[in-house]
Amino acid sequence: MTTPETAGAPAFDARTFRHVVGHLPSGVTLVTTRTPDGDHGMTASSVTSLSLDPPMMLACLNRSSSTSMAVSAAGAYAVNVLGQGHEHLAQQFAAPSRDKFAGVRVTEGVLGLPLLADALARIECTVVEEVHAATHTIFLGRVVDAKADEGSPLTYFRGGFGRFEFARDDAVYQRARQQVLERMYAADAVLQLDDLAYQLEVERPAAFYALTRLTADGLVRRDPDRGYVVVPFDSRTSDETFDARCAIELGVLDMVVGRVPPDELTELSSRFATMAALLVGDRFVDFDRYLDANYAFHEGLVSLAHNQSLTAAFGRLSIKTVMTRSFGVTPVTSQDFIDAQRQITEGVGRGDLATARGGVLRYTELAKQRVRQILAQTGGRL
Ligand SMILES: Cc1cc2nc3c(=O)[nH]c(=O)nc-3n(C[C@H](O)[C@H](O)[C@H](O)COP(=O)(O)O)c2cc1C
């Protein structure tokens, strides 16, 4: 019989394993403890609840970490669940340092352990068993005290920190966005949190989440005196944005056409194909995905110049906001857009500057005209 430690070599290497397990998303915690030497703590994501009755947790800590040794010596540990915006703490506690707790607000728990005052949740445990497996020790802990506060957690996925989002909150945001786009609220109107919650028939946190996302979209802005205000939109705003993109893209084409390496041409064609597939006939298959794909195509075009200033200027254009506010209002569009973008892609592919430039100018005119049509249909203001 084989045990995990005597089994033969796996059919994949450590890098592959790290990459694959990185697809399992997790929360992020600080495991903390106190010994006569002082306070100890480390960032840990391999922490989970084990049983409800009795209440138990487990934490998998690398035996070589100083915190693991300290937990073993103290016979107790606390799990501090990190909240959104705590990336700096996760980083601070993931690197060896003599004073990891510098600048951290700490309180003392019932077991005398250091607890992170601003954590989303704090769970104190006494160690009931230590299981050694490979490089780690699994500390089985009996929960002595547990407290949670309101807030969103910090998450970890494929080596990066992120945010958690309830699927139901996303649906509320989508509804709120549709209402703003369909001009259910007048331009420059104040959106009160309670009114929006009532209107959408949801709790305040979900309405607040929607407002935050609408603000990030540029559909709503936070006015220091008036609160959340619906951002007005007109054809001058969209014309300026499309003209600015046009100027950047024409400049990029002048710089690169005839000199684009084959792998970058393939990438541009593939971005074009992804975008084209999301527009069937004269309808968007899924506007949000189309918007992302359209953005990726134009960003890909600009990045052919390998010029960070140009890429950053393109990123500042609020293209997505302008497109959401205009094209996002109706599922109807036109294959003419794809034809113009195909012309750009083919022109770049053949090293034919005049064709590629013509495509950019045509696309820009089409976009400006289409916004005018949509504005006319919706009464001039969105
Ligand atoms: C997001 C994240 C999660 C981590 N999870 C664990 C874990 O579950 N177990 C572990 O042993 N190390 C984990 N680490 C690594 C430790 O935090 C790191 O080795 C730390 O420096 C150990 O500190 P110490 O030796 O001072 O105790 C994680 C690091 C990061 C950034």
Side-chain angles (χ1 to χ4, degrees):
M1 195 181 118
T2 57
T3 66
E5 277 153 55
T6 61
F12 47 86
D13 59 21
R15 247 181 87 207
T16 307
F17 181 57
R18 187 195 284 261
H19 171 71
V20 173
V21 290
H23 287 73
L24 176 66
S26 69
V28 186
T29 77
L30 299 187
V31 169
T32 53
T33 195
R34 183 169 283 167
T35 65
D37 300 343
D39 290 347
H40 309 263
M42 68 187 269
T43 305
S45 54
S46 300
V47 172
T48 185
S49 58
L50 178 62
S51 68
L52 209 54
D53 189 13
M56 287 186 70
M57 298 287 295
L58 65 80
C60 307
L61 306 185
N62 194 314
R63 259 197 303 287
S64 68
S65 69
S66 59
T67 306
S68 171
M69 296 175 213
V71 169
S72 213
Y77 65 93
V79 173
N80 302 267
V81 180
L82 293 184
Q84 201 175 306
H86 284 162
E87 289 88 337
H88 62 290
L89 292 174
Q91 263 143 11
Q92 186 166 328
F93 280 80
S97 146
R98 235 182 282 153
D99 190 12
K100 284 194 178 169
F101 289 82
V104 178
R105 285 209 310 137
V106 170
T107 60
E108 195 175 280
V110 293
L111 292 173
L113 300 175
L115 301 181
L116 190 69
D118 300 323
L120 189 58
R122 294 164 288 275
I123 306 161
E124 287 181 84
C125 307
T126 52
V127 176
V128 293
E129 200 177 332
E130 291 183 24
V131 180
H132 298 293
T135 48
H136 281 54
T137 297
I138 306 165
F139 291 96
L140 305 182
R142 176 76 188 251
V143 178
V144 178
D145 198 22
K147 290 205 169 65
D149 289 328
E150 282 295 316
S152 296
L154 180 65
T155 61
Y156 193 63
F157 176 65
R158 292 190 59 186
F161 296 113
R163 278 184 278 129
F164 175 82
E165 172 182 304
F166 282 108
R168 59 167 197 259
D169 286 355
D170 188 60
V172 171
Y173 151 70
Q174 296 288 352
R175 267 199 293 138
R177 187 174 79 155
Q178 201 55 33
Q179 290 183 347
V180 172
L181 292 177
E182 286 170 358
R183 290 198 305 140
M184 222 179 103
Y185 309 100
D188 211 37
V190 174
L191 281 183
Q192 300 285 2
L193 180 60
D194 286 329
D195 293 348
L196 190 67
Y198 178 78
Q199 178 70 42
L200 296 165
E201 297 177 11
V202 295
E203 299 291 322
R204 291 174 93 233
F208 180 70
Y209 174 79
L211 275 179
T212 313
R213 293 270 313 261
L214 292 172
T215 310
D217 285 345
L219 299 178
V220 162
R221 75 184 161 80
R222 179 108 179 80
D223 182 297
D225 302 319
R226 299 166 64 209
Y228 291 95
V229 175
V230 178
V231 176
F233 182 72
D234 53 30
S235 60
R236 215 195 65 191
T237 320
S238 63
D239 279 2
E240 272 191 11
T241 307
F242 289 131
D243 281 340
R245 177 173 68 183
C246 179
I248 294 174
E249 291 184 345
L250 291 178
V252 168
L253 292 177
D254 287 347
M255 288 164 75
V256 305
V257 171
R259 275 176 270 135
V260 181
D263 58 326
E264 293 181 24
L265 288 178
T266 308
E267 174 64 22
L268 188 68
S269 297
S270 133
R271 290 186 185 206
F272 170 76
T274 306
M275 173 181 62
L278 290 163
L279 213 161
V280 171
D282 281 346
R283 295 209 152 233
F284 296 117
V285 174
D286 172 330
F287 178 73
D288 286 332
R289 280 173 55 211
Y290 169 80
L291 183 62
D292 285 342
N294 181 296
Y295 188 85
F297 171 75
H298 287 275
E299 189 190 42
L301 185 63
V302 173
S303 67
L304 293 178
H306 296 279
N307 180 318
Q308 289 199 355
S309 302
L310 282 174
T311 306
F314 173 78
R316 281 194 299 271
L317 286 180
S318 324
I319 281 285
K320 281 191 175 179
T321 304
V322 167
M323 288 188 64
T324 304
R325 297 225 60 179
S326 48
F327 294 79
V329 182
T330 155
V332 180
T333 175
S334 159
Q335 280 289 328
D336 292 348
F337 290 101
I338 293 292
D339 287 344
Q341 286 160 316
R342 183 178 294 111
Q343 183 180 335
I344 302 171
T345 313
E346 288 177 357
V348 175
R350 290 203 304 267
D352 175 350
L353 180 60
T355 298
R357 283 180 68 96
V360 167
L361 291 167
R362 202 172 127 212
Y363 184 79
T364 305
E365 265 329 295
L366 283 169
K368 285 160 68 174
Q369 270 172 29
R370 181 76 184 114
V371 171
R372 282 208 175 75
Q373 278 170 5
I374 295 171
L375 284 171
Q377 282 161 18
T378 53
R381 287 217 120 184
L382 287 175

